[in-house]
Amino acid sequence: VLALIAFICIETIMECSPCEGLYFFEFVSCSALVVTGVLLIMFSLNLHTRIPQINWNLTDLVNTGLSTFFFFIASVVLAALNHKTGAEIAAVVRI
């Protein structure tokens, strides 16, 4: 849910001069939303039981850890390069 909120906040920004931080944050939030959504659907529909070769608890832990790490990096980059608009501040503070 928080990745979706961050993605919506970052998509409301209309103009940027150095857009690299904005694009990186957008990529991280969209990727986290998609991967977490796929895992949520797999766990909700018990599809993970059909592939017992994969350690799903470890997969979920790695996804959470990587998402946290990349959100932290993206937030630091966006905070350093932002233009102090409300949407940028809301996206950074969301983390």
Side-chain angles (χ1 to χ4, degrees):
V1 172
L2 294 176
L4 177 63
I5 293 170
F7 185 72
I8 291 170
C9 287
I10 213 69
E11 284 299 315
T12 61
I13 298 172
M14 295 298 170
E15 63 181 59
C16 61
S17 177
C19 296
E20 293 81 18
L22 182 79
Y23 292 153
F24 182 59
F25 191 89
E26 182 179 342
F27 172 75
V28 169
S29 62
C30 185
S31 298
L33 180 65
V34 169
V35 172
T36 304
V38 167
L39 286 173
L40 179 65
I41 289 170
M42 289 189 71
F43 283 124
S44 297
L45 299 175
N46 283 330
L47 297 175
H48 65 285
T49 58
R50 296 185 182 190
I51 309 172
Q53 296 85 2
I54 297 175
N55 185 347
W56 290 104
N57 292 330
L58 182 62
T59 302
D60 190 33
L61 179 67
V62 168
N63 174 53
T64 304
L66 287 176
S67 293
T68 302
F69 174 73
F70 283 116
F71 262 124
F72 177 74
I73 298 297
S75 294
V76 169
V77 170
L78 185 62
L81 299 176
N82 74 12
H83 294 94
K84 309 281 188 282
T85 63
E88 288 175 331
I89 293 170
V92 169
V93 169
R94 193 234 25 110
I95 302 301

